[in-house]
Each structure stands twice: as C-alpha cells, then as structure tokens.
Amino acid sequence: MRVRPDQERLVGPVMKSLAEAYVYPANAWPRLILDGDEAVGFFMAFIDIDWNGKGVDFRSGLWRLNVAADAQGRGVGRFAVASVAAELRRRGSTRLYVTWHPGDDGPEGFYRKLGFRTTGEVSEGETVGVLDLA
C-alpha cells in the first residue's frame, strides 16, 4: 500500500509502524483498513504514552495514518480518525492527539476540518493538535 509520492516524506512506512507496535505493544493499537479485500489504509493509535517523559502527562491519539493513493478522497482518513476516537472514548479518554508536518502540503487542513485545534506545542518538529472527545 503506497501513499501519493508527494506524501511519502510526511508519513512513516507501514513496516516501521508495525516494528514500533512490536516494541511498544502496551501503547500501540495498529489497524489495517480494508475495502472488501483491498487494503486502502493503515492507522495506528498510541495509548497512554508518557508525553514528556516526566510521568505526569499521559496522552492517547493517532500515531500514524497512511491512506493508499488511489483511495484518497473516499473517506478512509475520516474513518480512521473516527475509529481511533471511538476506541479512545471506550477506554475513557477525553482527548485525541495527533501531530503533523507543518506547511501547505501537509495534512493540517484535513485535521482542522475534523475539529482538531492546535495546542501551541511542537513535537519533533511537528505541530501538535488535539480533538476533544467529550
């Protein structure tokens, strides 16, 4: 499953995500999105990670989102975010966090349309956004 060539620098490959899920099994929630028998997307949530490493701010959210190039514009990304939101609500979370590469070619518009707002934070060079789930 490949994203558009212009998006490859914005998302990690699925294989990297699966390796991270293996290393962090208590915190990773990876899922494949199928349309019939066709893989159209992949997402992975992070669950209760120690955000700043100080043991006081634990967050959950969307860690990875990859949508196949030919499946974009069909609601796959919205489905992924809704799926993560539903799982986090089920686990008692009230917020869903995500990070994105800033810039005109990044996914900020997509996340803002879904109701995310920026927190004013930057994590590893990426903008931090949050969606209230309550």
Side-chain angles (χ1 to χ4, degrees), residues 17 22 27 31 33 41 43 45 50 70 72 76 82 86 101 116 121 129-130 134:
S17 298
Y22 180 78
N27 303 101
R31 295 293 184 265
I33 304 169
F43 68 89
D50 186 354
D70 60 350
Q72 292 187 17
V76 174
H101 289 277
F116 284 88
E121 301 166 286
V130 65

Side-chain angles (χ1 to χ4, degrees), residues 27-102:
N27 303 101
W29 193 66
R31 295 293 184 265
L32 180 65
I33 304 169
L34 296 173
D35 184 2
D37 60 355
E38 177 189 6
V40 295
F42 170 84
F43 68 89
M44 185 163 70
F46 59 90
I47 310 295
D48 294 328
I49 64 160
D50 186 354
W51 188 255
N52 57 17
K54 297 179 181 176
V56 294
D57 185 9
F58 291 86
R59 298 183 185 185
S60 299
L62 184 60
W63 192 350
R64 295 276 195 285
L65 175 57
N66 300 50
V67 176
D70 60 350
Q72 292 187 17
R74 295 180 9 204
V76 174
R78 286 189 308 276
F79 171 82
V81 172
S83 297
V84 172
E87 179 63 15
L88 295 184
R89 280 187 193 100
R90 187 187 74 74
R91 293 173 182 248
S93 295
T94 58
R95 291 188 176 126
L96 188 166
Y97 288 88
V98 68
T99 63
W100 63 77
H101 289 277

